[in-house]
């Protein structure tokens, strides 16, 4: 019987991963097991793809984003050399559907493959495989659950569940709204809850709610919507989300906590923010700060984000409500200079964020910036043409020529060398022993028990080593080489985490910032007591 092999390519292999690649287990769930049995799953963050797994007639599915094209095409070539039928899908093929075919793929799936994959497998088995399949944007009630029975929970820190697809924003550096649409699509409540309970039974006590925007329809977002029709739709989404939160709270164990991604507008909606904490048990969230300057936010088309000190207050308000913030900042935006990045470093340290990442700006394929800059590149010499950007893309298909991201473009106001140097100073200062100690003793972890402080300190060291190049938004660790020290730190962090978090031996608490009163109330971050 031919078998299906699904591969998540990665630029490096650590043997352990923080987050499950959700697509791998969702497409596994869409595989017709009556025809091919259970699929073989290969996540290269855990172990390299072994071509010996493949026999002639097998079907190999590869998921690509623009960051993992190089290892992805390596897997493609190896699988083809063994006589497999190779199908490529993911964000990158959705944007560039012809490229995988040029590289030797037999077929490409664009958009969501949830409802298409079964047909793709059947067509391949029957010898009538098409070159292209358009998955489009699958409605929320058709988004498939994952095959978590194929997961080894000992090899991942967090499993992932999607609750909503699409994002109503149109940030110029982001491809989500381009590929997945601006209309939020809520998954079925029962499907989400079933997955959450299954992961709980597998031993997980902390999961990733893998939504690109967990709060797509808060009161602040609704208030600034200019289209009456869209405003009504967002109001409907908000009510649907709040009902879902209520049902989740009733049917999912209270000691299953979550990490997610959200925008700063969550502070505009006290009811929504409180429900995230109390009902969805969100305890950590990545927040897209992008820039602390008005000019930087304008170049990112995110002017609705708070600026400077107001962003610091927003971060503190979220953490005051019990949700720890991973602040995500971009350096190298059109307005950035050496001085603005230095200012950003100061704001980032003063923000009190639990964690932070500083990513180098790159015109990611599929984004508004990418298309405009490619237009500038191709038309710059045309008479009368006025470029839309001063930042310039230096080479096409740069994702096939791996190297430092800062050398993909010529920045408007800063050299690549200065950008990398200042970006590194941001990481070095935020994750310096002095600043880690400050956050442990005076900041977010000041009232945590000793075990929690140790875990938090280790997490800071691990996060810098593993994600300093691209940030956690990348689908997998992108460092070319993970050294022994990093591996040992990961093991140590995971060991402490597993003992004190997943088995809930201790509780974390964060003090509310309510002045200097001695009786300041406390907010539980992870519940106390036995399971």
């Amino acid at each position: 019987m031919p078998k299906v092999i699904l591969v998540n390519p990665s630029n490096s292999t650590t043997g352990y991963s923080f987050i499950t690649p959700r697509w791998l287990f969702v497409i596994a769930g869409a595989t017709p097991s009556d025809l091919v049995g259970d699929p073989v799953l290969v996540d290269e963050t855990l172990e390299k793809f072994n071509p010996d797994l493949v026999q002639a007639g097998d079907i190999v599915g590869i998921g690509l984003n623009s960051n993992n094209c190089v290892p992805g095409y390596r897997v493609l070539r190896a699988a083809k050399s063994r006589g497999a039928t190779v199908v490529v899908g993911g964000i990158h093929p959705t944007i560039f559907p012809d490229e995988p075919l040029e590289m030797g793929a037999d077929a490409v799936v664009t958009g969501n493959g949830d409802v298409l994959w079964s047909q793709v497998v059947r067509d391949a088995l029957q010898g009538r495989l098409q070159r292209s399949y358009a998955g489009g944007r699958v409605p929320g009630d058709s988004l498939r659950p994952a095959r978590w029975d194929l997961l080894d929970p000992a090899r991942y820190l967090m499993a992932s569940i999607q609750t909503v697809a699409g994002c109503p924003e149109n940030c110029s550096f982001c491809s989500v709204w381009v590929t997945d649409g601006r209309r939020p699509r809520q998954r079925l409540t029962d499907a989400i809850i079933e997955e959450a309970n299954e992961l709980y039974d597998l031993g997980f006590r902390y999961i990733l709610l893998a939504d690109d925007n967990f709060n797509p329809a808060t009161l602040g977002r609704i208030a600034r919507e200019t289209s009456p029709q869209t405003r009504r739709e967002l109001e409907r989404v908000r009510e649907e989300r709040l009902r879902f939160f209520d049902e989740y709270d009733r049917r999912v164990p209270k000691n299953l906590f979550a990490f997610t991604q959200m925008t700063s507008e969550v502070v505009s909606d006290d009811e929504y923010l409180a429900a995230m904490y109390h009902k969805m048990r969100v305890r950590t969230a990545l927040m897209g700060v992008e820039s602390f300057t008005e000019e930087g936010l304008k170049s990112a088309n995110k002017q609705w984000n708070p600026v400077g000190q107001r962003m610091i207050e927003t971060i503190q308000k979220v953490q005051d409500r019990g949700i720890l913030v991973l602040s995500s900042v971009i350096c190298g935006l059109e307005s950035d200079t050496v001085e603005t990045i230095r200012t950003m470093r100061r704001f980032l340290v003063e923000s009190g964020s639990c964690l932070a990442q500083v990513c180098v700006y790159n015109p990611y394929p599929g984004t508004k910036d990418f298309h405009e800059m490619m237009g500038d590149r191709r038309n710059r010499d045309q008479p009368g043409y006025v470029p839309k950007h001063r930042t310039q893309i230096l080479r096409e298909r740069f994702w096939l020529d791996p190297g430092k991201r800062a050398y993909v473009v010529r920045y408007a106001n800063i050299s690549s060398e200065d950008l990398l140097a200042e970006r590194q100073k941001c990481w070095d200062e935020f994750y310096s022993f002095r600043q880690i100690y400050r956050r442990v003793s005076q900041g977010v972890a000041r009232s945590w028990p000793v075990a929690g402080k140790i875990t938090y300190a280790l997490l800071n060291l691990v996060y810098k080593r593993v994600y300093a190049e691209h940030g956690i938004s990348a689908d997998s660790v992108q460092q070319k080489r993970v050294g022994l020290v990093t591996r040992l730190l990961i093991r140590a962090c995971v060991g402490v985490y597993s003992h004190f978090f997943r088995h809930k031996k201790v509780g974390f608490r964060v003090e509310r910032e309510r002045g200097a009163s001695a009786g300041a109330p406390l907010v539980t971050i992870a519940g106390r007591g036995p399971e």
Side-chain angles (χ1 to χ4, degrees), residues 86-119:
V86 179
V87 183
V88 178
I91 295 174
H92 190 81
T94 298
I95 300 164
F96 302 112
D98 293 333
E99 184 180 285
L101 298 175
E102 295 171 8
M103 296 292 177
D106 296 289
V108 167
V109 177
T110 61
N112 290 117
D114 299 47
V115 297
L116 276 179
W117 180 243
S118 178
Q119 186 61 50

Side-chain angles (χ1 to χ4, degrees), residues 4-21:
V4 169
I5 303 170
L6 302 175
V7 185
N8 181 55
S10 179
N11 290 296
S12 67
T13 300
T14 64
Y16 189 88
S17 185
F18 285 88
I19 300 170
T20 54

Side-chain angles (χ1 to χ4, degrees), residues 3 33 56 70 72 105 180 182 234 321 325 339 351 353 409:
K3 60 182 178 293
S33 57
V70 172
D180 218 10
R182 297 185 66 186
L234 291 177
R321 297 295 293 270
V325 174
E339 192 54 43
S351 72
S353 301
V409 300

Side-chain angles (χ1 to χ4, degrees), residues 348-370:
L348 197 58
V349 170
E350 291 177 358
S351 72
S353 301
C354 175
L355 294 170
Q357 64 184 33
V358 183
C359 301
V360 170
Y361 173 78
N362 187 266
Y364 201 81
T367 64
K368 178 175 179 287
D369 282 353
F370 174 83

